[in-house]
Amino acid sequence: MSEKIPVTVLTGYLGAGKTTLLNRILTEDHGKKFAVIVNEFGETGIDGDLVVGADEEVFEMNNGCICCTVRGDLIRILDGLMKRKGKFDAIIVETTGLADPAPVAQTFFVDQDVGDATKLDAVVTVTDAKWLQDRLKDAPEAKNQIAFADVIILNKTDLVSAEGLAEVEAAIRAINPYAKLHKTTRCDLPIAELLDRNAFDLDRILDIEPDFLEAGHHHHHSEDVRSMSFTIPGDVDPEKFMPWINDISQVQGPNILRSKGILAFKDEPRRFVFQGVHMILDGDLQRDWKSGEKRESRLVFIGRDLDEAALRKGFMACAA
């Protein structure tokens, strides 16, 4: 796992501040080198004098970052970047403001070569504190971007009152209570808070909400996007769980925006960590359960029109 190059997907609705954040990553002296894939070079607003060497698609920045324009297929560009492996520490993929992050995230599961060389580290969503409430009413893409996020930047906080900011934060939490949330002005926060997050490890959720697994813990959900979590206080039977999660993903996949879990498999000393985007699932055995660590199996779904009772019942039936 350690040899895989981490990939961060940067998304957010038009005008939220993605360009500001991307320019900071490209110009800041952070000691790391990133390959940055953007939808169109002109959209990023990068000053021409930052480009120290360029060919048709790859631009090397003055801090060592590599910038690619997506004129062709994302997989082809990722394959090309793999040939430059060693010249950068991580990859950032910036989507357009109207994009659904799902197809980009799925790329790292559906292509064998890409999946072998990279790991999807996190989906980072930039939101506009002033206009987000309006966008949630008229732009389904904005809601999807929040639902998919592992890290959310609530930007332009200087443009709203304290009361307005609290309302916006509540709206975000109604859609996605699990993401790490940062409040910023001009996306001003340490790069380390965004990158190398290993955000699909559900241990992160407990850092965000210590009472996340407590009985009776409840989230106020958005009207159509809901978040739910289930815990089995012990092991699950992989011969039961794998067919069940595959079936659920195929039948309800279009409505499941994100799924993720950490499972204790029967007779297995390592934790099984999995993540899903719609109908596509990916997972593997990672580190050992630590001495004294509570062996339990946790599962999260974020999606639309999900039958919470049926999902709970199905997961509980997978107990070993």
Side-chain angles (χ1 to χ4, degrees):
M1 290 294 293
S2 60
E3 295 180 359
K4 291 188 176 184
I5 297 173
V7 178
T8 300
V9 176
L10 174 60
T11 186
Y13 203 72
L14 296 168
K18 292 194 310 302
T19 298
T20 300
L21 179 60
L22 190 57
N23 279 328
R24 288 193 58 240
I25 293 171
L26 289 172
T27 58
E28 194 169 285
D29 184 17
H30 40 57
K32 288 183 177 289
K33 294 183 179 180
F34 301 109
V36 182
I37 302 174
V38 296
N39 292 103
E40 216 176 291
F41 188 68
E43 284 188 5
T44 66
I46 301 168
D47 293 334
D49 61 358
L50 294 177
V51 180
V52 295
D55 55 28
E56 184 189 358
E57 284 193 309
V58 178
F59 301 84
E60 191 163 334
M61 316 311 293
N62 61 0
N63 64 352
C65 292
I66 297 169
C67 189
C68 301
T69 62
V70 182
R71 295 193 186 118
D73 179 74
L74 178 59
I75 291 174
R76 177 175 58 80
I77 290 177
L78 288 166
D79 286 340
L81 283 175
M82 292 308 103
K83 296 184 176 71
R84 301 166 71 101
K85 198 171 180 180
K87 293 190 175 183
F88 52 88
D89 302 304
I91 298 171
I92 300 170
V93 181
E94 187 237 10
T95 71
T96 67
L98 296 173
D100 184 333
V104 176
Q106 287 173 332
T107 303
F108 301 94
F109 307 137
V110 298
D111 184 85
Q112 184 69 42
D113 292 336
V114 170
D116 289 343
T118 65
K119 65 169 185 175
L120 183 58
D121 184 71
V123 176
V124 177
T125 297
V126 184
T127 62
D128 184 330
K130 183 173 178 62
W131 295 109
L132 181 62
Q133 296 277 48
D134 291 336
R135 295 295 76 77
L136 292 177
K137 296 172 185 174
D138 62 20
E141 300 90 351
K143 189 173 288 187
N144 285 349
Q145 290 163 356
I146 291 171
F148 269 95
D150 302 292
V151 179
I152 296 172
I153 299 174
L154 180 53
N155 195 33
K156 304 184 183 181
T157 56
D158 56 320
L159 301 181
V160 295
S161 65
E163 294 80 8
L165 188 61
E167 291 177 5
V168 174
E169 185 175 355
I172 290 173
R173 285 297 180 212
I175 298 168
N176 186 341
Y178 309 119
K180 183 73 174 177
L181 180 68
H182 299 280
K183 301 171 191 174
T184 66
T185 299
R186 296 192 61 77
C187 291
D188 186 15
L189 78 165
I191 300 301
E193 296 291 337
L194 305 178
L195 307 172
D196 197 22
R197 302 301 296 161
N198 194 22
F200 291 112
D201 186 335
L202 289 191
D203 287 343
R204 297 274 181 195
I205 294 176
L206 298 178
D207 293 336
I208 302 166
E209 292 195 74
D211 61 344
F212 173 70
L213 296 175
E214 298 298 323
H217 186 53
H218 178 68
H219 296 294
H220 298 285
H221 299 297
S222 165
E223 291 180 6
D224 58 341
V225 177
R226 300 193 65 208
S227 309
M228 55 198 67
S229 62
F230 313 113
T231 301
I232 290 176
D235 293 359
V236 301
D237 184 343
E239 294 188 5
K240 294 178 181 176
F241 175 77
M242 289 302 198
W244 175 75
I245 193 67
N246 279 312
D247 183 59
I248 288 294
S249 298
Q250 293 308 307
V251 173
Q252 299 192 44
N255 292 333
I256 299 174
L257 297 174
R258 288 289 296 276
S259 58
K260 55 181 85 172
I262 295 177
L263 305 171
F265 278 167
K266 184 176 63 176
D267 302 324
E268 172 54 58
R270 292 169 294 175
R271 310 191 316 169
F272 182 80
V273 179
F274 94 94
Q275 53 177 304
V277 177
H278 287 310
M279 287 171 270
I280 298 175
L281 299 176
D282 181 53
D284 57 15
L285 292 166
Q286 296 190 0
R287 69 165 174 82
D288 287 353
W289 290 94
K290 296 175 183 176
S291 177
E293 184 178 13
K294 185 178 180 181
R295 281 181 68 105
E296 61 183 6
S297 301
R298 311 198 295 271
L299 192 60
V300 168
F301 292 101
I302 299 176
R304 289 185 172 89
D305 302 319
L306 300 181
D307 186 334
E308 184 168 2
L311 289 172
R312 184 186 302 277
K313 181 179 179 181
F315 181 49
M316 296 302 167
C318 297

